[in-house]
Amino acid sequence: MFKVEELGPILKPTDNLFENKAVLNPAVYQDGNNVHIFYRAIDEDEDKSRIGYARLEGPTNVVERWSKPIIERDAIYEVMGCEDPRIVKIEDTFYLTYTAHDGKNAVIALAESKDLKNWIKEGIISPQLTYDEVGEILREEHLKDQYAMFESFYEEFGGKDILLWEKDAVMFPEKINNKFALLHRVLPDIQVVYFDNFEQLKSRDFWIDYLNHLNEFVVLENRYWFETRHIGGG
């Protein structure tokens, strides 16, 4: 039905200090013959992540690659890493979601751009609520036992004040019924959240109401043996 051709690595680590250990997990946006790649770059010295940028033509010929990160770790919530970007364009704006890691919490962060080169960080857009705060809500939603398992696991790992572990956020590339739509992951499943603007995602009340109806927004669950622990948008 189709043929797969292995072309080998597109990008490899360089001598640049921010990406001399590994480059992986890219977000890709294609504009005609240009392929823009935003990738997780890991340094050898501290083993921390930033986001690098390259532009390809054809689509595997590298014609531009920055010698510095395009997204740097300059906020307290991302001091240990900016990881695993995902990108979409909605109307005239590019939205880059990524995982921000502070050494304890993994949360979803957002950056916006009009030209793919200059990015404005908009902060954390995932629930800034602890497992301890929402554990009872999730149990009342009659969700599968794995939700409680992850609550216990992360509280043991990070303490009662650890936030909901959120990664793998993917924006839909257009609005649905005039609302933004975001796939995200409250372990172990994948859910969708609809919202009017990104300020809503910074509201505790918005997320508490959403989590009180989480079973209505689960869009994908594990099914096969290789998905036993959890699944994600990665």
Side-chain angles (χ1 to χ4, degrees), residues 203-221:
S203 164
R204 289 175 56 88
D205 290 342
F206 174 87
W207 282 114
I208 289 173
D209 180 67
Y210 173 82
L211 291 167
N212 269 297
H213 302 88
L214 188 62
N215 59 359
E216 300 174 22
F217 299 104
V218 174
V219 296
L220 199 62
E221 298 181 79

Side-chain angles (χ1 to χ4, degrees), residues 105-120:
N105 297 295
V107 296
I108 300 165
L110 173 72
E112 296 183 9
S113 175
K114 297 292 187 180
D115 60 5
L116 290 172
K117 299 294 180 69
N118 299 287
W119 291 89
I120 298 174

Side-chain angles (χ1 to χ4, degrees), residues 121-186:
K121 290 184 178 180
E122 301 293 347
I124 298 171
I125 59 170
S126 57
Q128 296 189 64
L129 298 164
T130 67
Y131 276 101
D132 194 48
E133 290 177 289
V134 303
E136 188 62 32
I137 293 174
L138 297 180
R139 284 188 288 275
E140 289 177 354
E141 275 292 276
H142 304 295
L143 295 159
K144 65 179 76 170
D145 291 342
Q146 282 176 290
Y147 282 86
M149 182 200 77
F150 281 109
E151 176 192 354
S152 298
F153 174 81
Y154 281 105
E155 285 186 342
E156 183 177 350
F157 160 72
K160 291 289 187 181
D161 61 341
I162 194 168
L163 300 177
L164 280 174
W165 198 265
E166 276 271 42
K167 301 182 74 172
D168 293 344
V170 183
M171 293 284 299
F172 276 83
E174 60 184 56
K175 292 183 178 180
I176 299 173
N177 296 326
N178 208 34
K179 289 182 177 288
F180 292 103
L182 177 75
L183 290 171
H184 68 119
R185 184 185 71 181
V186 177

